[in-house]
Amino acid sequence: MLTDTSTSAGRAILLHDRYPTLDELADTARHLAARHPDRCRLRTLGTSRAGRPLQLLSIAPDARTPDPRNVLVVSGAHADEFSGRAGIVELAHRALARPTPSTPAPPRPRTWHFLLCLDPDGAHLARGGLLARTLPAYFAGYFRPAADEQPEWAPAIGGRLPESRILLDLIDELRPSLQLSLHTADVGGTFLQATADPTALAEPFARSAAALGIPIETGSFDTHRLPAAGPGVFLMEPHHIDTQENTTGMLDPGRQAPAGARAATWFAPRRHGGRTVVVEVPAWTSDRLGDPAPAGDDAHRHLRAGADRLRERGRRLVDLTAALPPHDTPVLRAVRTQLTALHQLADAWDPAAADRPHPPPPLPTRAHLAGVDLWSHRIPVRAAALLRRATPVPGPGPTELLHTWCAQYRRRFRPTWLPVARQAAHHANIAEAAVAVAVAAGVVDRPR
C-alpha cells in the first residue's frame, strides 16, 4: 500500500508528490493514534536544544500489552534529508494494515516504534528545500548542521546533545532487535549499510530497487572502505567508520574521535543483541554510480583531479569568508564543517600528499571513480549554499559560485527526480525485509 490519503502527510505524498512537513507528520501520528487507540500510542520523549518535541509513535498488536520484540525506525537524522518522513508514513500504515511482513515463518507480532524526527531544530532550518524539484531550488534553502550538532553521530566525536541522549535512552528502554535509520542522498542511487552481516538483504534490496526504478549505488564514497555483501549492500564496523570519517569533515584536522564510531547511535543496539540498518534513498537518481567495469589505470588520475577540484574551490570559498559576521550561528558552524571536509578530502585523495593517516581509498570499479567525482562536486556546492546563506547580504561571490557549481553538478550527473511515493516505498520495503531477515536469524524472537 502507498499511504492513507485521509492523513495530511499521505495526501502530500500521493496527491502532491512532496515530503510531509514536520507538522503534517505529527498530524498523521495523532490521527493514527486517535483512529487506532487499541494499537497506537504517541508520546513525547523530550525536547530539542530549541525546545521542539521529539515524538515517538508506537504501533503494537495490542497497545495495552505491547509485544516486547521491538523495531525502532528513526527519521530526520540529517536535516537536509527528507525521505525518511515519507517512509515512516508508509511504514506506519503498513504496520496497521499488516502487523507483520510476509515471511516463511508463522506470523510473529511485534511492536514498531517510529521516531518522527531526530533533529527537529535542523529540520526547521532546512525547510526551505522541502518543496524543491530541482537541484538549484534544493540548494537555495540548504542546511546541514555542523558535525558535532548531528545527533546520530555526535556521541562519536564528543558532542553532547539532548537529541542524542534521547535516542540512546530510547534504545536502552526498548532494547530493539532492529534499528532502521532512514536517509536521503541528494543525487545518486540507493545503498544500505548494516552493523551485522547483511548478505540476506542483498536479494530483497535489489528486487525493491528494480521494481521502483531506483539505480543501485555501488560506488558511494560513504562506503569505499566497507566490505560489500552484494551490490549496494555493505557491512559497517566501527573501525571502518572511524577510518572513513577522518576524511569527510566529521573531525577537525588533527583531532581524533574521543570515543569513535562505536559510540555512535548506529552501534548502540549491539549492547542489547540488536542490529542497525541504514538505508539511503536518492531524491534525484543518477545512473553513473553503479558501473561495475574495472577502473583500470584511471584511479590515481581521478583522485588527483578530485583533490585539485576540492582545493581550488576551497580556496575560493575561504577567500569569501572574510565577509562573514563575527558572531556564531548554526549556519556559520555548518560552513566550517564543509570547509573542513574540503580540506580533509583533498588530502585523503591526493596520491602525492604526505603525512596522511590513511592511504587513498580503493577504487576498483568505474562506479567508485564516479563516487569520487560526485563528492568533489557535492561538497563544494553544499559549502557554497551554506556560505551564501550565512552572509548577511549575499553578494555576487557566493551566489555566482553556487549557481556555477550547481550547474556543473547537474551536467555531470544528469539527475532525475524520484517521486516521493517511490522513495517512501523503498524505505518501507527494506525495513520490512530487514525485519524478515532478523526473524529468520532468530534476532527478533530472541528473549530481550
Side-chain angles (χ1 to χ4, degrees):
M1 72 182 285
L2 288 174
T3 74
D4 183 339
T5 56
S6 66
T7 66
S8 60
R11 287 193 293 270
I13 293 166
L14 284 185
L15 303 183
H16 306 293
D17 184 31
R18 65 171 174 82
Y19 304 111
T21 65
L22 290 185
D23 286 344
E24 287 172 331
L25 189 58
D27 171 71
T28 287
R30 288 191 295 268
H31 181 96
L32 294 179
R35 188 196 294 176
H36 304 279
D38 56 330
R39 298 193 54 198
C40 296
R41 179 189 179 199
L42 180 64
R43 58 179 167 133
T44 297
L45 302 173
T47 57
S48 69
R49 285 156 284 166
R52 293 184 174 87
L54 273 72
Q55 294 181 293
L56 185 78
L57 173 67
S58 299
I59 300 178
D62 185 339
R64 294 164 297 183
T65 55
D67 190 284
R69 293 165 293 191
N70 294 310
V71 177
L72 173 62
V73 184
V74 179
S75 171
H78 288 139
D80 55 327
E81 302 178 6
F82 307 125
S83 68
R85 303 179 192 180
I88 277 184
V89 174
E90 174 67 15
L91 260 174
H93 284 98
R94 289 191 190 189
L96 287 165
R98 303 193 307 274
T100 60
S102 299
T103 70
R108 290 173 170 86
R110 62 189 57 83
T111 302
W112 290 87
H113 302 272
F114 301 100
L115 181 53
L116 302 187
C117 184
L118 178 59
D119 183 11
D121 295 349
H124 179 74
L125 289 170
R127 66 191 185 282
L130 196 66
L131 300 179
R133 290 298 172 272
T134 66
L135 284 186
Y138 173 71
F139 284 110
Y142 184 77
F143 178 74
R144 185 184 183 95
D148 57 0
E149 297 174 39
Q150 297 176 20
E152 190 175 60
W153 180 256
I157 54 177
R160 297 182 179 276
L161 306 178
E163 299 90 342
S164 304
R165 187 72 264 159
I166 287 168
L167 177 55
L168 290 169
D169 287 348
L170 180 65
I171 289 169
D172 286 340
E173 174 196 334
L174 298 178
R175 302 166 62 89
S177 54
L178 177 66
Q179 175 185 219
L180 292 132
S181 183
L182 309 185
H183 289 250
T184 320
D186 48 40
V187 176
T190 180
F191 61 95
L192 68 82
Q193 304 164 84
T195 62
D197 181 7
T199 302
L201 280 173
E203 191 276 331
F205 173 76
R207 185 172 65 247
S208 175
L212 294 166
I214 307 173
I216 291 177
E217 185 169 341
T218 60
S220 169
F221 186 70
D222 277 326
T223 63
H224 276 195
R225 299 182 191 272
L226 307 187
V233 175
F234 301 92
L235 172 67
M236 57 180 179
E237 291 286 355
H239 66 278
H240 296 137
I241 305 301
D242 285 339
T243 300
Q244 186 74 6
E245 298 303 352
N246 269 281
T247 66
T248 56
M250 295 302 273
L251 299 176
D252 292 333
R255 171 186 166 194
Q256 295 299 311
R262 69 183 64 255
T265 58
W266 294 330
F267 295 94
R270 279 187 168 183
R271 57 180 173 255
H272 306 298
R275 59 184 65 180
T276 294
V277 175
V278 179
V279 187
E280 297 273 359
V281 176
W284 289 271
T285 62
S286 173
D287 58 6
R288 287 199 56 213
L289 294 119
D291 186 350
D297 298 330
D298 287 342
H300 275 202
R301 181 174 63 83
H302 267 73
L303 284 169
R304 183 58 186 265
D308 288 346
R309 180 179 295 116
L310 290 173
R311 287 194 177 114
E312 187 273 332
R313 294 185 175 185
R315 283 191 293 269
R316 298 182 69 178
L317 290 164
V318 168
D319 288 344
L320 294 170
T321 58
L324 294 177
H327 57 275
D328 207 18
T329 69
V331 179
L332 285 170
R333 295 192 294 272
V335 170
R336 289 195 285 271
T337 284
Q338 297 302 322
L339 292 177
T340 298
L342 286 165
H343 172 80
Q344 288 185 347
L345 283 171
D347 286 349
W349 291 354
D350 188 349
D355 300 325
R356 73 167 138 248
H358 306 286
L363 303 177
T365 71
R366 299 199 68 80
H368 290 86
L369 301 184
V372 166
D373 195 15
L374 184 140
W375 273 59
S376 73
H377 285 82
R378 172 186 284 163
I379 302 301
V381 170
R382 284 180 175 179
L386 289 165
L387 182 62
R388 178 181 180 274
R389 187 167 175 178
T391 305
V393 181
T399 300
E400 181 182 355
L401 291 184
L402 178 58
H403 175 79
T404 300
W405 294 347
C406 193
Q408 292 173 357
Y409 191 18
R410 293 166 64 200
R411 286 196 299 270
R412 191 71 172 159
F413 288 92
R414 303 182 299 276
T416 301
W417 173 252
L418 181 66
V420 174
R422 286 157 64 188
Q423 297 177 41
H426 190 55
H427 273 311
N429 290 347
I430 304 312
E432 290 190 325
V435 171
V437 166
V439 167
V443 176
V444 165
D445 295 306
R446 187 178 300 155
R448 310 311 295 160

